[in-house]
Structures are given as structure tokens and as C-alpha cells.
Amino acid sequence: RNFHELRQRDLTLFCLGEVKGKKIIDIGCFKAEYLLTVAKMGAEYVGGQDLCEDAVKTGRLRLSEENIEGKLVVGDAAKLDFPDNYFDIAFSCDVFEHISLEVKEKVISEVYRVLKPGGKFVIKTPNLSYLKTSIILKRILNLVMLKSPFVYIPHTNNNPDNEHHGLTTYSELENLLESNFFHTPEITYVPFVRKRLPKFVTKLLYGKKCFTECIIISTRKSIFLSMWE
């Protein structure tokens, strides 16, 4: 297993706060790995929605085998099949890079609807700013080594696909969240770790947005606005 990826998942779950006794939804739940984890951490009820029918079926089976109470739905996250003001916490991991800006707006609006006033929302997605920086550095290095500088961000530019057509930045997500009446988002930085990279360099780069591979951002739904609108 890739320990660095597991570190990012841990940091995302830390942002959820206390999950014991809470109702939690995963936007883009796939096979319910995250939901199984938060359920074992004490969540009272878990919900999830994903476009992949086979993945949702697998997730349902896994929840059933563990006797976990919850509901997984096949469907577009731009229209969540859950009631208003229902969940204490919502999160979405590695989904936002797959959807357009317009769809992001709809998904965030739906998350706002299903969260209770003051409910927390956490997003984890690749960082476009970091990817651009890394590609520039790779192109320079290739030129120095007399190799082709024509390298691209993976999963973009049809190289080998365009699956990550919705890659985003901190500022774009902050604007989307704030325009949908979520409070000022908080950033959780991920250490830039490489096998041959000295630790002092990792510490030096920590907290720099362009050297944080993964965006982990958390925010809360307005209380006064949602209760008195």
C-alpha cells in the first residue's frame, strides 16, 4: 500500500472531527471504503451516493456484512437522494477532479441542503496548482537531460485520457463554498514527502500551496442563515 496516500486519507478523516453518534454522507462513495471506516469509528448512520452501480452494489454488500446501518444510492451527486438537514457531516474524496465547475456548484448546493445547520463538509481532491508546478519542473529537468519536454499532467490532455478534466485549486473551491453560504474554509496541508528528499526540505515546503499535492479543505454550513432563511 502507498503509505503517503493513506496519510492523506487519515488527514481527511481527522478533519471530520468526532464522528461517534453522527450521521455522515460520502459524496461519491464508490465501494464505501471511507464509510466502512467512519462506521467502525462510531458513526450512527452512513449514507453515500455514486454513479457507478457496480461499486454501490459492492458497498451495500460490505455494509450489510458488517451490520452497518446506512443507505447507498446510485445517482448523480448534483441531486442527492436524501432529505434536507439530515446529516451532521459530509465529505467527498477524489471526486471533484472529475466534474465541471458548473457541476461542482450544484453538488456543493446539494451538500448544503442535506447538512444540518452548522454541519461540516470536507473535500479531498488533487491540487491543480501543485500539478502545474511539478510539470514545469519536470519539463525543465527533461530539457537539461536532453529529453522531450512535452509531458503533461496525468489524466488530462487525453494523456492517456481526460478523466481529470475538473482539476481545481484552493481559491476556486473557497469561492464556490463561500458563494454557497459555507463559512471560510480551513486548509489542511499535506507534507511533501519523497524517498530521496531531505527532511529539512519537506519541512521548508510544508504550508506552501503549490507544493501540497492534495487539497484537503473543510468548512461548515451556516447556522443563522440556514435556520432563519
Side-chain angles (χ1 to χ4, degrees), residues 58-73:
T58 300
R60 288 170 179 166
L61 180 61
R62 296 172 81 179
L63 292 184
S64 177
E65 289 174 345
E66 297 285 345
N67 294 315
I68 294 170
E69 184 179 357
K71 173 185 175 183
L72 302 187
V73 177

Side-chain angles (χ1 to χ4, degrees), residues 15-18 22-24 84-91 111-122 180-184 186 218-229:
C15 290
L16 304 184
E18 178 58 66
K22 302 292 179 62
K23 294 179 180 178
I24 303 176
D84 296 356
N85 305 310
Y86 189 72
F87 291 98
D88 301 287
I89 301 169
F91 66 92
V111 172
Y112 185 93
R113 179 184 64 81
V114 301
L115 274 178
K116 296 176 181 178
K120 179 172 281 192
F121 182 29
V122 178
N180 280 275
F181 307 109
F182 281 95
H183 282 282
T184 304
E186 295 181 7
S218 56
T219 184
R220 286 186 179 274
K221 176 180 176 177
S222 168
I223 296 176
F224 270 85
L225 181 66
S226 58
M227 292 183 72
W228 296 97
E229 62 186 351

Side-chain angles (χ1 to χ4, degrees), residues 20-39:
K20 189 173 183 180
K22 302 292 179 62
K23 294 179 180 178
I24 303 176
I25 182 171
D26 182 355
I27 312 300
C29 61
F30 200 54
K31 297 181 181 180
E33 284 188 355
Y34 282 96
L35 290 178
L36 281 164
T37 305
V38 296

Side-chain angles (χ1 to χ4, degrees), residues 19-138:
V19 301
K20 189 173 183 180
K22 302 292 179 62
K23 294 179 180 178
I24 303 176
I25 182 171
D26 182 355
I27 312 300
C29 61
F30 200 54
K31 297 181 181 180
E33 284 188 355
Y34 282 96
L35 290 178
L36 281 164
T37 305
V38 296
K40 290 182 178 182
M41 291 169 64
E44 174 189 307
Y45 177 91
V46 296
Q49 191 155 320
D50 197 285
L51 283 171
C52 182
E53 184 174 358
D54 289 340
V56 169
K57 286 180 179 178
T58 300
R60 288 170 179 166
L61 180 61
R62 296 172 81 179
L63 292 184
S64 177
E65 289 174 345
E66 297 285 345
N67 294 315
I68 294 170
E69 184 179 357
K71 173 185 175 183
L72 302 187
V73 177
V74 178
D76 192 337
K79 190 175 181 181
L80 297 174
D81 189 20
F82 293 92
D84 296 356
N85 305 310
Y86 189 72
F87 291 98
D88 301 287
I89 301 169
F91 66 92
S92 181
C93 297
D94 303 312
V95 172
F96 274 56
E97 65 270 26
H98 299 284
I99 57 179
S100 67
L101 183 63
E102 181 182 359
V103 176
K104 287 182 180 71
E105 183 94 38
K106 293 178 180 178
V107 171
I108 290 172
S109 177
E110 275 292 274
V111 172
Y112 185 93
R113 179 184 64 81
V114 301
L115 274 178
K116 296 176 181 178
K120 179 172 281 192
F121 182 29
V122 178
I123 299 171
K124 171 183 174 288
T125 187
N127 181 7
L128 179 58
S129 298
Y130 161 78
L131 292 170
K132 285 182 175 180
T133 300
S134 66
I135 286 298
I136 291 171
L137 293 175
K138 285 179 182 178

